[in-house]
Amino acid sequence: MALGNEEQSDAPSALLFPNRRGLLKVLGVGAAGAAGLGTAGSVGGQETTTTGQGNQGDRSVQGDYVVGDSTDAETLNFVQIADVPSANRVGLTLDGAYALTPPPNSEVFPLWCDISTEDSRTYTVEIREGLQWGGDYGRMTADDWVYMITEVFQAEDNWAGFANQSDWQRNGEFVPVEQTGELTFEIRLPEVDPAFPLKPIMWGEFCMPRGLLEKYVPDKDLEGLQQDEEVQTLAYSGNLGPYSFERWNREAEFVASRNDDYYMQNVENIPEEYNQSAWQGAPYFESWTYQVIPEESTRLSALQTGEITQTSIPENKVSQFEDDQDVNVNVAPQPFNSLLIYNQRANGWEPFRKTAVRKALSYAVDKRAVVENILRGFGSVAHTFQPEFSRWYDDSQVVETGVGDAYSSEEARSRLGEALGGTQYTYDGDTVVGPNGNQLTLKLVWPVGTETTRTTVEFIKQEYAKIGINVELEGVQFNTLLSKYAQNSYRGDGEPEYNAGPFNAGPRDEAFSEESWDMQYGIIFNTYPRTPSSTRSFWTRTSSTNYYGYVPEADMASLYDRASSATDEAQRQQLYARVFGILSEEQPCNFMNMGVDIDGFQDEVQGPQEVFDFGWNANTWYFQQE
Amino acid sequence: MYWYVARRLAWAFVATFIILTITFLLLEVTPDAQAAQLQFQAAQGGGSAEAAREAYETRRGLDAPLWERYSNYMINVFTLEWGWSDTRSQPVVEAILDAYPYSLMYGIPAVLISTVVGIAIGLYSATHQYTLADYAGTFVAFFGISIPNFWFGIILLLVFAVELGWVPVLFDPNVPVFSVANAKQLVLPVFVLTTAAIASEMRYARAEALEYVNAEFVKTAKAKGADGRRILTRHILRPALVPLSTILVGDLLGLILTTSYLVEVVFGIPGLGRLSLDAILNQDTALVLGTTFIPVLIAVIGNLLQDLAYTILDPRIDYGDR
């Protein structure tokens, strides 16, 4: 899987078929500098440059669509999928419950199902008529869904190794799910959650027929399910997806051919803005192939020669394609934030715990220079933990630092000098010195493997040198970064006050990582612009991802509580705007920049747009007729 | 002789057992990158990192005790039931059988060409020492050794596939083995591998042959009126082949395990090199053990065959009393 500091360059293809389960989560981690990082300021989320439009009249079924991917799928058993390539392949043959349209609207676009609620607590899922399983499994009913959720997803011992079981739990209890009709079932949440449909729980969820699962559920036969021929070949997919499984040559290609019986061809009442006629003839390619090409230069060569239709392009290779008449470069904003993280735990530099110190340091690094010179303009400066295209981003609340007048070594030095009052550190001339009189040295840890990350940390080192702080760079493997620097354990006496898991095993004085560190750059965090309540896992004292030991001055937990349960949209918006405003003020990290996704498409491809999540309607894309 | 072979085969069994055990233990102590990343993802999404790890272990069969997993794997290996590859979702044997043909498709031509051509150039260089042809041969050898295969492959693709369009960029696994299309797509990988292997073969052949070019028995043959070809093939090549045969097994393994990986990555060939390395990177234990077993077997059995070949190449060597 393309995670860690390895090739995130596959992210673009992952963004096709984004209605597939788990993508939001899977894409939430990675390393800065990976291909597809950064969003040029010019690539505003609101800009939508359409490379192809039109109704079905412009479309006809022709040609084979080939995506160049760096890694292959691991499995076609969606219950076990935890990687993007696998989800993409399954997604060709199974549509999933429903899709979401791109932000800022992020509306539910019903595929197999629609989801509705009256109280934001009990959600009714209504399954479409005419959905037919393959083989002898008949039609899809609520019974299939409820059986799968209760017997597989919510199985006590998780015998099937379901990757996202905690999605179906609240406060340690499984969420009740009950069939209410042949084609309807209810999900009864214990508390109000207006954002539930937008979370990757039912969104993009796949389903298996009960008859198939019943062969393995009674004996909890994991091996049987893994090796089942119908699961391995997606033979149960019937009319449920735009394509049908054709063949899978491991490490080479996954080929799916057009499904002539695709149920969406018969669906009516699709809102006009989503182009009903386009869906009625979908899909418009004879076949869709994921071709595994591990070497980036080979993928790019294949794009040049026209042997593949689409692949991701790293920012340093974009210029190569700008003059190529046969290739369109599509740059889409992303919600992934590359941040400079300060270690506020006991094995980090103690003054990081002071908001004034962190704020002073945010004046020291020229964020625009990073975006424009290192990311070659493919990214956007970030001031808080939310992209500007998000509806929860409010200019008036966000404090900007590290750009314009708010970038200044002198200002940073002056602010830092004041902020260090009361600590053991002070300025001696132009240099920050510690209690022993030596210049302060901070250790910046970063994941090796990408050139832009290396250049960025070297730039940060230079910027810190201007304010009299020496930075020692330490490159490590990504999994080492996670296991030895991010994961921490409780080292105090007795029981910890709280334990939020391996990345926040307790209060910052008693729980810290195996290796000491002061700063970190190169891990990308998902900012969840659709479901901002999910950002709670970063910014409260007891958050599960708070491995950096941030203790907010404001009462963030209470703000999150109020915001996530607010059913009034305006109130919710106001509360989240406040949350992200506070983050820009308190600077728990330097938010540095937001990434973009860069893809190259053959010129004749019509459909991709320069917006986040542009692949949600890839089934309506087509080749322009010559 | 038979007793010697029997003992060597018994040793092959023990050596394989030891190597597989070490491989298993190394995989055990290596931190699992995927598990760490899945836990981090779960934490980011507000889920339970611990539950994510447990689910991962269940999926990968890592929830059983160490001893149980070890004994299962060893029994599986030696009963040739190599289990299920979790990262490819197919039986290990099928994964290996799928990958082998692709490796052989470019491996066999590369080994044959590099051996024949390498030895031929080496012998020619030895018998024509310090001539223009010798210098040219030496240049070819050093070029092949010095140029990084990875880079060379990419450049060849850019020139012959992108610019000239003579060959495809992508390897198509669906074309018939014996077809023009397959030959076209294999030309570049075979060429890259050959240039690397030819160099070592040629340099070894030249060095070994030089030892015999002025040997007494060669002079005698010349004095007796033997022609050049006879001297080269019967009096120089034959004694030179004894040490040369030593490097053949090493070359074969090197080709399969190292060079081939790089070539397979560049040309997108789903062969054994990628299968082996990806298995290690993804810590797919069953697949690692399966893919380790074969090279170990080739090494151990190959060494035995090579020792036996000595007795044919040089009748003075005899294992009769061992």
Side-chain angles (χ1 to χ4, degrees), chain A residues 3 28-29 74-75 80 161 222 226-227 232 247 249-251 253 293 295 298 307 478 537-538 544-545, chain B residues 34 37 40-41 43-44 47 49 55 58-59 84 87-89 150 154 158 162 169-170 174 265-266 274 278:
Chain A
L3 290 169
V29 55
E74 290 192 355
T75 178
Q80 301 194 333
L222 169 63
Q226 275 177 328
Q227 301 179 18
Q232 285 295 313
R247 63 179 180 273
N249 290 325
R250 268 70 165 184
E251 295 297 327
E253 57 173 9
I293 315 166
E295 168 53 29
T298 312
E307 287 174 62
F478 186 72
S537 58
F538 299 95
S544 54
T545 316
Chain B
Q34 203 177 349
Q37 287 167 3
F40 191 59
Q41 279 169 35
Q44 272 205 51
T58 304
R59 293 199 296 275
W84 182 260
T87 57
R88 291 169 64 101
S89 293
F150 196 75
I154 290 172
L158 286 175
V162 178
V169 174
L170 298 182
N174 302 307
V265 165
V266 171
R274 272 172 64 196
D278 290 348

Side-chain angles (χ1 to χ4, degrees), chain B residues 71-232:
Chain B
S71 50
N72 280 343
Y73 283 127
M74 296 312 278
I75 291 167
N76 285 349
V77 167
F78 287 102
T79 53
L80 297 182
E81 286 176 8
W82 292 348
W84 182 260
S85 162
D86 294 313
T87 57
R88 291 169 64 101
S89 293
Q90 66 180 159
V92 170
V93 172
E94 195 180 313
I96 292 171
L97 290 176
D98 276 358
Y100 249 96
Y102 300 118
S103 290
L104 294 179
M105 267 184 229
Y106 67 82
I108 289 175
V111 169
L112 289 178
I113 294 171
S114 61
T115 306
V116 173
V117 177
I119 290 176
I121 298 176
L123 289 178
Y124 186 85
S125 281
T127 52
H128 298 77
Q129 209 180 358
Y130 305 128
T131 61
L132 195 61
D134 180 28
Y135 288 127
T138 307
F139 171 79
V140 169
F142 280 106
F143 177 81
I145 286 177
S146 311
I147 198 158
N149 283 326
F150 196 75
W151 180 84
F152 192 38
I154 290 172
I155 294 299
L156 289 177
L157 269 182
L158 286 175
V159 173
F160 293 101
V162 178
E163 292 302 324
L164 299 174
W166 292 354
V167 292
V169 174
L170 298 182
F171 181 84
D172 181 355
N174 302 307
V175 299
V177 178
F178 298 103
S179 64
V180 176
N182 201 28
K184 262 175 88 172
Q185 65 182 0
L186 288 173
V187 166
L188 294 186
V190 169
F191 185 69
V192 170
L193 276 179
T194 304
T195 51
I198 213 170
S200 59
E201 296 284 353
M202 180 250 161
R203 293 302 295 171
Y204 275 116
R206 183 178 182 275
E208 290 302 329
L210 275 176
E211 278 189 36
Y212 302 107
V213 166
N214 294 315
E216 294 296 324
F217 57 84
V218 172
K219 286 179 185 166
T220 307
K222 272 184 193 166
K224 287 167 73 178
D227 63 25
R229 176 185 289 186
R230 187 178 173 84
I231 289 172
L232 195 64

Side-chain angles (χ1 to χ4, degrees), chain A residues 480-491:
Chain A
T480 306
L481 190 70
L482 288 183
S483 59
K484 297 201 168 172
Y485 294 89
Q487 285 195 8
N488 48 68
S489 53
Y490 180 67
R491 290 154 204 270

